[in-house]
Amino acid sequence: MGGSSPCASCKLLRRRCAKDCIFAPYFPPDDPHKFAIVHKVFGASNVSKILQELPIHQRADAVSSLVYEANARVRDPVYGCVGAISYLQNQVSQLQMQLAVAQAEILCIQMQQEPNLPTQIDQDEKSLLLSSNFNNNIPQYLGFASSSTVNQDPLKRESLWT
Amino acid sequence: MNSGRCAACKYLRRRCPSDCIFSPYFPPNDHQRFACVHRIYGASNVGKMLQQIPSHDLRAKAADTLYFEAKYRIQDPVYGCVGMITQLHQQIHSAESELAKTQAQIAFLNSNDHAQESQVQNIETKLHPDSNILILPEQTNAAGGLWSYVPASATSTDQTSWF
């Protein structure tokens, strides 16, 4: 060990912390909760396999996202992160509707002000009106609600990356 | 017995007991569902998570969401479904900005419209310097909105609206 303190994972697992311990860079000994929660949800062995399959420069982000998912699952054992996804998709839909209404209002105002001229539509506005969906690449999971115990506010603006 | 085992017990090569925690949620006809979940969470962790949930319906939902998250983690080992959350936050931010911009535009158009109407109602008499047009004070036409000006020496009956 060379005198250095074992990482949080090796402390929890009660084993020797090797020099090349895969967890050590991401689970420092001063934050035992971080590894504990990831271990509870995913298991140390599975986390190790996930990290080993990734290049080193991507492992920190992977750990951050695993910690985020583990926290979400502990807070909401039924829906986990999917509850947040469903909530955010609802928000996007509502904003899209509000935007469509506001853009229709602009068209009405423009038509009232210049009834004899063709309606001046900005090219960006036109493409926005014609585009039907912000979420072209995200599957809709609007059917998933959240458990009543979930507090959505931390997930709304929570900083995901340390 | 081989027949009647759930996908989990088939995968784990064990007997499927009558009170198997997995069997209602991992039917034998969908082996990929349990394989995904086992790969990311492990059978033991999944079993513990399901045991902690009191009702069958909620366990079913939990199994669905665990499968969803496991699938996304396999597809994207770095971000999993958290990548989707980040993307949604960005979309919300864009939509909010666009909405604010559009609402400001509406407010501007409305205030512009009011300003033009009040100009039309309050203009004073003066002779236009570059023409022989006399601008009549506080005259409204039959429509009650616009007023008209008449050339001082015009013989034509044409009237031009001005605002």
Side-chain angles (χ1 to χ4, degrees):
Chain A
M1 272 195 287
S4 60
S5 170
C7 71
S9 52
C10 293
K11 265 190 181 171
L12 186 77
L13 299 170
R14 293 182 191 175
R15 65 185 196 188
R16 187 177 72 86
C17 191
K19 249 191 332 195
D20 59 351
C21 172
I22 194 157
F23 298 117
Y26 317 108
F27 297 101
D30 58 355
D31 190 359
H33 173 76
K34 188 175 169 184
F35 182 77
I37 203 161
V38 162
H39 178 52
K40 181 175 178 177
V41 174
F42 295 100
S45 163
N46 292 326
V47 174
S48 172
K49 280 185 214 162
I50 291 171
L51 293 180
Q52 274 170 3
E53 286 168 9
L54 291 172
I56 292 176
H57 68 276
Q58 289 185 323
R59 289 179 185 175
D61 278 354
V63 166
S64 294
S65 69
L66 287 167
V67 170
Y68 185 93
E69 273 191 47
N71 272 310
R73 183 58 64 175
V74 166
R75 270 195 293 237
D76 186 352
V78 178
Y79 296 100
C81 270
V82 177
I85 290 170
S86 181
Y87 173 80
L88 293 171
Q89 283 177 333
N90 273 330
Q91 270 202 301
V92 170
S93 295
Q94 282 177 18
L95 283 167
Q96 279 181 302
M97 279 196 300
Q98 288 173 27
L99 192 54
V101 166
Q103 285 166 341
E105 198 174 331
I106 286 184
L107 286 176
C108 285
I109 294 171
Q110 285 176 334
M111 281 163 62
Q112 282 168 11
Q113 287 180 352
E114 298 178 35
N116 298 323
L117 295 176
T119 308
Q120 304 293 326
I121 303 178
D122 181 73
Q123 205 50 38
D124 290 337
E125 283 175 334
K126 197 172 181 175
S127 59
L128 205 55
L129 277 171
L130 291 174
S131 74
S132 57
N133 195 353
F134 274 114
N135 297 341
N136 285 328
N137 298 323
I138 300 178
Q140 295 291 314
Y141 284 90
L142 299 179
F144 282 113
S146 300
S147 297
S148 58
T149 53
V150 171
N151 177 10
Q152 294 290 359
D153 288 339
L155 293 172
K156 275 177 75 174
R157 293 280 182 252
E158 188 175 340
S159 169
L160 301 178
W161 313 114
T162 53
Chain B
M1 61 183 157
N2 276 338
S3 63
R5 283 191 298 172
C6 70
C9 294
K10 267 189 184 173
Y11 188 96
L12 299 169
R13 294 182 188 174
R14 68 182 197 190
R15 188 179 73 86
C16 190
S18 56
D19 60 348
C20 175
I21 186 74
F22 300 112
S23 69
Y25 320 110
F26 296 98
N29 58 351
D30 189 356
H31 72 277
Q32 197 220 7
R33 182 175 159 97
F34 183 76
C36 277
V37 159
H38 176 58
R39 181 173 163 180
I40 299 301
Y41 298 101
S44 167
N45 287 335
V46 173
K48 281 184 215 164
M49 285 192 264
L50 291 176
Q51 292 277 14
Q52 286 168 1
I53 296 168
S55 86
H56 166 72
D57 288 344
L58 291 179
R59 283 182 185 175
K61 286 199 163 63
D64 286 343
T65 60
L66 286 167
Y67 173 49
F68 177 87
E69 289 186 32
K71 212 167 49 165
Y72 272 86
R73 180 60 62 175
I74 290 167
Q75 283 173 13
D76 182 356
V78 181
Y79 299 107
C81 67
V82 177
M84 202 185 293
I85 292 177
T86 308
Q87 211 176 338
L88 285 166
H89 276 307
Q90 286 167 355
Q91 287 182 358
I92 286 170
H93 179 72
S94 290
E96 283 173 343
S97 303
E98 194 60 38
L99 185 62
K101 203 171 78 170
T102 308
Q103 285 169 340
Q105 211 174 343
I106 289 170
F108 173 75
L109 287 172
N110 281 333
S111 68
N112 217 24
D113 197 29
H114 289 322
Q116 284 167 2
E117 280 180 8
S118 64
Q119 271 185 1
V120 164
Q121 288 167 9
N122 295 326
I123 196 105
E124 293 178 358
T125 307
K126 59 184 175 187
L127 197 64
H128 195 283
D130 295 329
S131 76
N132 55 353
I133 296 168
L134 176 68
I135 300 172
L136 302 174
E138 294 182 356
Q139 293 275 336
T140 54
N141 60 14
L146 298 172
W147 53 268
S148 56
Y149 60 86
V150 180
S153 58
T155 54
S156 164
T157 54
D158 286 344
Q159 289 189 339
T160 310
S161 65
W162 188 93
F163 60 91

